Amino acid sequence: MIHTKLTFMRRNLCYLFLVVLTIASLFPFFILVVNATRNHAQIQRGFSAFFGVSFFDNLGKLLNDKNLPVLRALFNSVFVSFMSALLTTYFSAMTAYGIYMYNFKGKATAFKIILAIMMIPTQVSSLGFIQLLIKIKMIDTLPALFIPAIASPVVFFYMYQAMTATLPYSIVEAARIDACPEFKIFNTIVIPLMKPAIAVQAIFAFVSSWNNYFIPALVINSKMKKTIPILIAQLRSADYQKFDMGQVYMIICMAIVPLIIVYMFLSRNIIRGVSVGAVKE
């Protein structure tokens, strides 16, 4: 009886802790939405938990600002982030499949080199990257923001670890015996088995590309090719006399909506994939 009561109390404490943690996690988003409905003067007065009446006024000012093409920037960010997530997950999974399934001379060396590249910060190679873009005439283009996502050592390592846990050799060998081409094996057998891992990395890749400011700020010069992080920084660094906190909160609020949609869509695939389970030898 005493053991049952202790278990009940521990479970309730866990639930209480999770509720508090959830509220603490959602509180910044609540404040963001609240401030998006208030004007600059109201925000300057300090914190408020009550919604204002300036939502459509802030939205109208933001959309009518010719120096801030918000809708175009949203499209650019969605396009670049989607392509980055697609390329990084597909080609990283393909690279992991090649190293996992094939035995060739230098396999261990190639694996170590890829892992070593993980330790090199993006800022270190940024100068050479910009010089390369200038030489191949890809500066100030959107493809320059997502084509490099093909090479992602971190995603490769995650995919490789996932394959060692969920991809049996016997399935691939059986498909080879049936004379199935390697690309067909990868696209019709390996990719479906790796769907949970791909969904997780797609979320991370999308969010990372969406929040990326450093590379787009170096590569993009044209106003109609800028992404959301560049516009937020541009609006935040405006002249104090023209600075409008209501517009800043509004554009940040608009910027998180695609992230929430992508997470909700891909999280279903994660849950479904985990519930089905992996085939084991």
Side-chain angles (χ1 to χ4, degrees), residues 22-273:
T22 302
I23 294 174
S25 300
L26 295 178
F27 184 74
F29 295 98
F30 172 74
I31 297 301
L32 173 63
V33 175
V34 169
N35 286 338
T37 64
R38 306 167 68 202
N39 57 39
H40 179 76
Q42 292 173 337
I43 296 174
Q44 289 293 94
R45 286 199 291 266
F47 168 78
S48 175
F50 300 98
F51 290 94
V53 295
S54 302
F55 180 85
F56 292 103
D57 184 46
N58 293 333
L59 181 61
K61 290 180 180 178
L62 187 62
L63 296 179
N64 292 327
D65 192 339
K66 296 181 180 180
N67 295 322
L68 297 171
V70 178
L71 297 180
R72 181 66 184 184
L74 280 173
F75 172 80
N76 293 339
S77 291
V78 170
F79 176 69
V80 170
S81 300
F82 173 78
M83 292 301 298
S84 296
L86 178 65
L87 294 176
T88 192
T89 51
Y90 183 79
F91 285 97
S92 295
M94 183 180 292
T95 306
Y97 173 77
I99 292 183
Y100 175 68
M101 290 301 303
Y102 292 93
N103 291 320
F104 54 91
K105 187 177 181 180
K107 174 179 178 179
T109 303
F111 183 78
K112 292 177 181 179
I113 290 175
I114 295 175
L115 294 186
I117 296 175
M118 292 172 53
M119 306 302 165
I120 302 176
T122 305
Q123 292 79 0
V124 174
S125 58
S126 60
L127 180 59
F129 176 65
I130 298 300
Q131 291 176 345
L132 175 63
L133 293 180
I134 294 174
K135 288 181 180 179
I136 62 178
K137 298 180 180 180
M138 286 190 64
I139 200 74
D140 196 26
T141 61
L142 292 180
L145 301 181
F146 59 79
I147 289 180
I150 292 176
S152 179
V154 176
V155 181
F156 155 79
F157 180 72
Y158 182 89
M159 292 296 180
Y160 182 84
Q161 295 298 321
M163 285 184 183
T164 59
T166 61
L167 181 61
Y169 283 96
S170 59
I171 293 181
V172 178
E173 291 172 354
R176 289 172 177 171
I177 292 174
D178 293 335
C180 185
E182 287 295 325
F183 275 103
K184 188 174 182 180
I185 293 174
F186 177 75
N187 291 322
T188 61
I189 298 176
V190 177
I191 291 295
L193 287 176
M194 296 295 297
K195 188 182 292 185
I198 289 175
V200 171
Q201 290 305 307
I203 291 175
F204 291 157
F206 189 94
V207 173
S208 177
S209 178
W210 184 273
N211 293 330
N212 188 12
Y213 170 77
F214 180 72
I215 296 298
L218 295 177
V219 174
I220 302 300
N221 299 319
S222 303
K223 181 173 65 175
M224 299 305 293
K225 295 179 182 178
K226 292 182 178 180
T227 57
I228 281 294
I230 297 178
L231 287 195
I232 293 176
Q234 180 179 333
L235 185 60
R236 183 66 179 84
S237 60
D239 184 71
Y240 182 80
Q241 298 296 330
K242 302 178 181 178
F243 189 78
D244 192 339
M245 288 294 295
Q247 292 187 44
V248 174
Y249 280 105
M250 176 57 65
I251 193 173
I252 297 175
C253 188
M254 293 174 63
I256 66 172
V257 172
L259 298 179
I260 296 175
I261 294 174
V262 169
Y263 174 77
M264 293 178 63
F265 176 75
L266 292 180
S267 62
R268 296 179 181 178
N269 292 333
I270 297 173
I271 297 172
R272 189 184 304 119

